[in-house]
Amino acid sequence: MTLTIETGRWEALGSHAAPIRRLVFVIEQQVPEEEEWDGMDTHSTHFIAWQDANGDQPSPIGTARLLPDGHIGRVAVLKEQRGLGVGVALMQAAIDAARQQDHARVVLSAQLHALAFYEHLGFVAYGDTFLDAGIPHREMVLTL
């Protein structure tokens, strides 16, 4: 499997990111549609992970976004592709983009089950646990 990360605006990548987010967040995690589509997509930098398996047509298998304030979010990988490094590649692309945009730090709201994943990337949790769309989260930060 060859993995490629594409970076761009919502206008170019939204048609690939939206179905992944709908599957992962709205269907799998039961996040209400109105909470998933928060109006920030057109203001953000987006990342799509493309899988090219055996020379077939590449397929989008993961996505993330970087908001103008340095907040990384909407990190989603299709269930069948989890555990293969797709999330790490997406996060590295988002962190690199934040550096290029001269952010001093990046922050994210991590679901509790994903804390170790983000800690492995250097993020540090802070603050209390809170509910977002009914799912327990903690804030995390990475100084760049």
Side-chain angles (χ1 to χ4, degrees):
M1 169 181 91
T2 303
L3 185 66
T4 306
I5 305 296
E6 182 178 3
T7 303
R9 305 300 303 168
W10 183 254
E11 295 77 15
L13 300 181
S15 63
H16 305 296
I20 296 168
R21 286 171 44 185
R22 184 168 282 108
L23 278 172
V24 172
F25 296 124
V26 177
I27 294 172
E28 185 181 324
Q29 297 182 358
Q30 300 181 332
V31 172
E33 286 269 354
E34 62 274 8
E35 289 187 41
E36 177 56 31
W37 311 115
D38 61 2
M40 292 303 297
D41 286 319
T42 58
H43 306 288
S44 302
T45 303
H46 293 268
F47 309 90
I48 298 291
W50 293 92
Q51 175 188 31
D52 183 4
N54 304 321
D56 294 336
Q57 180 74 12
S59 6
I61 59 170
T63 188
R65 75 178 184 187
L66 174 65
L67 276 67
D69 66 358
H71 193 109
I72 296 173
R74 302 308 198 263
V75 181
V77 175
L78 296 177
K79 186 182 276 190
E80 314 78 53
Q81 308 302 329
R82 293 179 195 154
L84 302 175
V86 178
V88 171
L90 285 164
M91 286 300 299
Q92 288 172 335
I95 292 165
D96 289 345
R99 282 190 180 105
Q100 291 171 3
Q101 294 174 18
D102 292 324
H103 290 288
R105 66 186 192 135
V106 288
V107 295
L108 56 83
S109 299
Q111 294 181 8
L112 292 188
H113 72 84
L115 285 176
F117 169 78
Y118 294 114
E119 287 170 345
H120 176 73
L121 293 167
F123 283 82
V124 176
Y126 66 92
D128 295 329
T129 299
F130 62 95
L131 292 179
D132 185 2
I135 302 168
H137 286 69
R138 283 198 65 202
E139 295 293 336
M140 299 190 84
V141 63
L142 173 69
T143 302
L144 303 179

